Amino acid sequence: MTVIDIRIQRITQLYDSLDPSPLHEKTLSHAVKNYIVDCAGEYGLDEPLRLVLHVPAPIREYEAEITRAIHAHFQAQHAQCRRRYRRRVRQGMRLLFTGLAVLATTLLARALLVNPGNSKVLIAISEGLLIIGWVAMWRPIEVLLFERAENHQNMALFERLSQIGVEFAPEETAVDPGDKSGETSDLRAPGLLP
């Protein structure tokens, strides 16, 4: 089982400070989200994951809310990724029809230049038309083939993270309640970051 460790000193380090939602519905901060996604993305989809939050003892009373917020955040990311994918597929289909129309037009124009003979200008025009036709197909192929695989990987990752096991490891660190410095400066994996 792969363990993703995060150490926080204040509960505000976990959340986006601009999100006014209740604690269990808050959006994770970009630093926390990116760290979790980057760590989880290093492992295969069949590798079990566990998130361990190293927190001061007073934060443990919010375990249920924090766990729900983490799961809800990645469920929302999964849903957003799915919506973007559907929008991109619709856009890709429109691009495909446009690309096919351009390709057909350039191939037809090229066919009208049948047997360009020895004229270098006609040969250049004929080859240019062929290149234009295939370049028009580049974007639909990218959207419908290559981005599709990337989107499916992202959706699978967010789905895994929406169900990740979350554990809390209390730490015996004294926190100065008046310390307002560095909202995410204490975010680090034990043994990985100074």
Side-chain angles (χ1 to χ4, degrees), residues 49-53 63 66-68 70-71 161 163-168:
L49 295 175
R50 184 177 55 175
L51 178 64
V52 177
L53 295 173
E63 283 183 20
I66 291 171
T67 301
R68 275 194 316 224
I70 290 170
H71 290 161
L161 291 174
Q163 301 166 8
I164 192 169
V166 180
E167 295 179 17
F168 290 80

Side-chain angles (χ1 to χ4, degrees), residues 22-165:
L23 189 62
H24 64 280
E25 296 175 3
K26 278 187 171 292
T27 309
L28 296 180
S29 75
H30 292 295
V32 170
K33 181 195 82 151
N34 290 341
Y35 182 75
I36 293 171
V37 169
D38 288 346
C39 289
E42 293 179 9
Y43 304 98
L45 293 177
D46 56 344
E47 179 77 24
L49 295 175
R50 184 177 55 175
L51 178 64
V52 177
L53 295 173
H54 300 268
V55 298
I59 293 179
R60 294 210 52 192
E61 69 183 79
Y62 300 104
E63 283 183 20
E65 290 90 348
I66 291 171
T67 301
R68 275 194 316 224
I70 290 170
H71 290 161
H73 178 84
F74 288 112
Q75 286 168 356
Q77 291 286 305
H78 179 265
Q80 183 181 40
C81 192
R82 184 182 304 154
R83 284 191 303 272
R84 285 181 183 160
Y85 172 68
R86 288 181 184 152
R87 187 173 61 238
R88 295 293 287 161
V89 166
R90 286 192 303 271
Q91 182 184 27
M93 293 305 290
R94 286 192 300 268
L95 290 170
L96 178 63
F97 291 128
T98 303
L100 287 172
V102 170
L103 179 61
T105 303
T106 56
L107 290 177
L108 179 63
R110 192 168 187 255
L112 295 176
L113 295 174
V114 173
N115 193 9
N118 293 332
S119 171
K120 293 187 180 195
V121 172
L122 289 178
I123 291 173
I125 292 172
S126 175
E127 292 302 315
L129 288 170
L130 182 63
I131 291 169
I132 289 170
W134 285 111
V135 167
M137 293 298 296
W138 167 74
R139 188 71 178 135
I141 289 171
E142 179 186 23
V143 170
L144 294 174
L145 292 181
F146 301 115
E147 286 185 11
R148 176 186 176 127
E150 184 180 342
N151 279 312
H152 282 297
Q153 289 173 348
N154 287 340
M155 283 192 287
L157 178 61
F158 289 138
E159 185 174 8
R160 284 180 72 203
L161 291 174
S162 71
Q163 301 166 8
I164 192 169

